[in-house]
Amino acid sequence: MQPDHLILIGDFAPLTLSMLADINHAAGLSKTLHIIIQTPNHAPLPCGRTPTLADAVRWVQMACQSFGFIKIHTFGSLALPDMSFDYRNNTQLTKHQFLAICQALNITAHTTMLGIKSSHKDTLHPFELTLPKYGHASNYDDELVQNNPLAYFHQLSAVCRYFYTQTVCIVGGESSGKTTLVQKLANYYGASIAPEMGRLYTHSHLGGSELALQYSDYASIAINHANAIETARTTASSAVTLIDTDFATTQAFCEIYEGRTHPLVAEFAKQMRLDFTIYLDNNVAWVADGMRRLGDDHQRSLFANKLLEILARYDIGHHIINDTDYHKRYLQALSLIDNHIFNHFTKIHDN
């Protein structure tokens, strides 16, 4: 007989495709599915970010918001202490704890089942229901995904990919090859891109040359760049999201061209932090594109020094690439990204 209520308990961080398959299946086995989300406790991402309980709740609510028969809870929202249980493994929940949950949910225990993914026990408790493994999503073990979410990025639900993708920003002076490198890296990683908004703004609002640029334009450029970064993150197609230049670069242009700091650009630089920054040294040949104004070696050096000063001012750590060969720069960037981001969890587990 179909139970009136089915309960799934887990931390759902990250929310994976196989978890969503479990939720879909469990929802078909009862009239109402209750999901109780525990506080996540996982190794931090390379950038130091770790998912909170609110993050996990947001992801499950976003994925299930169209389903009125699915109710989302936390132990805190039920005024219960955290219980060490996860439906995907063999952790235990006592009958007393199960009855306490039913009471908090205001449901009848004998019409309620507790969902578990699998069990190695000879017999199940009377209130436990085993969920089968099935479908393409079950080809991946959730524990593998949780232990290394970046290596299994394609197994993450779309609603949480923005949190896990690592923003890699390429900065540098004029004509240092930033945009070309961003495009090549995006091709390699299959990554989304936040383009250099100052360049796009120059074409769309200034007629294609920085000659018309003035102080009032920098706020619009920074806002457009913030929106582009947010769009690239929320539509992330890879564990890496590429950012062409940053707010420190915009501030450097403002201070060089206008002789003063822009407070809005400064605030973006302080508050909208990117995960990993690569600085390209200005030691490659100047390429005129009809738009740039800082052409001679003295001007390029002045801008590069200003950018490095501003990176330090806003405490933006960066890795320097100074090879004069463009292809070697590309290979060095790949090595930096792979070592910092994709080998991160391997190093943790090795230790």
Side-chain angles (χ1 to χ4, degrees):
M1 178 182 294
Q2 184 185 58
D4 290 339
H5 302 274
L6 179 61
I7 300 170
L8 286 187
I9 303 174
D11 68 33
F12 300 95
L15 183 63
T16 68
L17 297 182
S18 94
M19 291 177 190
L20 292 177
D22 292 337
I23 289 171
N24 288 344
H25 186 78
L29 299 178
S30 64
K31 296 176 182 177
T32 303
L33 173 63
H34 298 273
I35 299 176
I36 303 177
I37 303 174
Q38 295 203 59
T39 302
N41 182 23
H42 301 293
L45 294 165
C47 59
R49 231 177 7 254
T50 54
T52 65
L53 177 60
D55 289 321
V57 171
R58 176 184 304 186
W59 302 333
V60 177
Q61 287 187 161
M62 289 176 65
C64 300
Q65 62 182 325
S66 299
F67 307 137
F69 45 85
I70 297 180
K71 309 299 182 184
I72 313 299
H73 315 273
T74 65
F75 284 111
S77 71
L78 296 174
L80 292 172
D82 276 355
M83 300 179 188
S84 181
F85 182 85
D86 194 300
Y87 82 94
R88 290 161 297 169
N89 55 41
N90 295 312
T91 51
Q92 300 292 311
L93 194 68
T94 67
K95 184 175 181 180
H96 175 75
Q97 289 174 317
F98 175 71
L99 293 175
I101 291 172
C102 291
Q103 184 177 6
L105 291 171
N106 196 29
I107 58 181
T108 305
H110 74 266
T111 65
T112 303
M113 300 295 289
L114 178 70
I116 61 174
K117 188 66 173 285
S118 63
S119 176
H120 298 303
K121 296 176 292 181
D122 293 331
T123 59
L124 298 176
H125 288 296
F127 55 83
E128 291 179 336
L129 175 67
T130 301
L131 301 176
K133 291 186 177 182
Y134 70 99
H136 72 279
S138 298
N139 294 332
Y140 294 90
D141 188 326
D142 278 333
E143 187 175 354
L144 289 176
V145 181
Q146 284 194 316
N147 287 338
N148 196 342
L150 302 183
Y152 297 94
F153 190 81
H154 61 292
Q155 279 296 306
L156 305 185
S157 166
V159 299
C160 71
R161 290 182 177 182
Y162 74 90
F163 184 92
Y164 287 90
T165 189
Q166 302 292 283
T167 50
V168 175
C169 183
I170 308 298
V171 302
E174 288 280 64
S175 192
S176 57
K178 300 183 296 294
T179 298
T180 299
L181 179 59
V182 164
Q183 294 290 342
K184 292 176 73 173
L185 292 173
N187 287 343
Y188 180 85
Y189 290 110
S192 302
I193 294 176
E196 182 185 357
M197 298 312 295
R199 176 181 295 273
L200 296 180
Y201 186 88
T202 298
H203 285 289
S204 63
H205 289 72
L206 306 179
S209 168
E210 292 176 351
L211 186 64
L213 187 65
Q214 55 187 309
Y215 184 77
S216 59
D217 293 314
Y218 288 90
S220 296
I221 291 172
I223 291 170
N224 290 348
H225 200 176
N227 289 334
I229 293 171
E230 187 64 14
T231 297
R233 287 178 66 240
T234 56
T235 59
S237 54
S238 165
V240 169
T241 294
L242 278 302
I243 315 297
D244 191 343
T245 73
D246 65 350
F247 302 107
T249 306
T250 303
Q251 191 72 280
F253 278 114
C254 185
E255 294 186 12
I256 290 291
Y257 287 164
E258 307 299 331
R260 51 180 170 158
T261 298
H262 199 293
L264 181 61
V265 179
E267 200 60 29
F268 273 121
K270 294 173 185 176
Q271 300 299 327
M272 199 167 185
R273 311 293 287 188
L274 302 176
D275 297 326
F276 189 71
T277 298
I278 294 175
Y279 173 85
L280 300 181
D281 198 7
N282 249 30
N283 57 351
V284 293
W286 165 264
V287 178
D289 63 358
M291 183 177 68
R292 303 183 180 103
R293 288 159 55 182
L294 303 175
D296 61 54
D297 289 341
H298 173 70
Q299 290 175 318
R300 293 179 74 193
S301 178
L302 185 69
F303 180 84
N305 290 335
K306 173 61 70 173
L307 175 55
L308 289 170
E309 173 198 322
I310 294 173
L311 289 171
R313 181 193 310 169
Y314 298 138
D315 193 27
I316 299 174
H318 56 277
H319 298 259
I320 297 176
I321 291 179
N322 55 15
D323 202 290
T324 57
D325 180 85
Y326 284 111
H327 186 62
K328 289 181 179 178
R329 286 185 176 223
Y330 164 68
L331 295 177
Q332 193 173 350
L334 289 180
S335 178
L336 285 171
I337 294 169
D338 286 347
N339 286 331
H340 181 76
I341 293 177
F342 289 99
N343 295 335
H344 170 77
F345 291 101
T346 301
K347 295 173 184 174
I348 289 176
H349 296 144
D350 287 345
N351 293 333

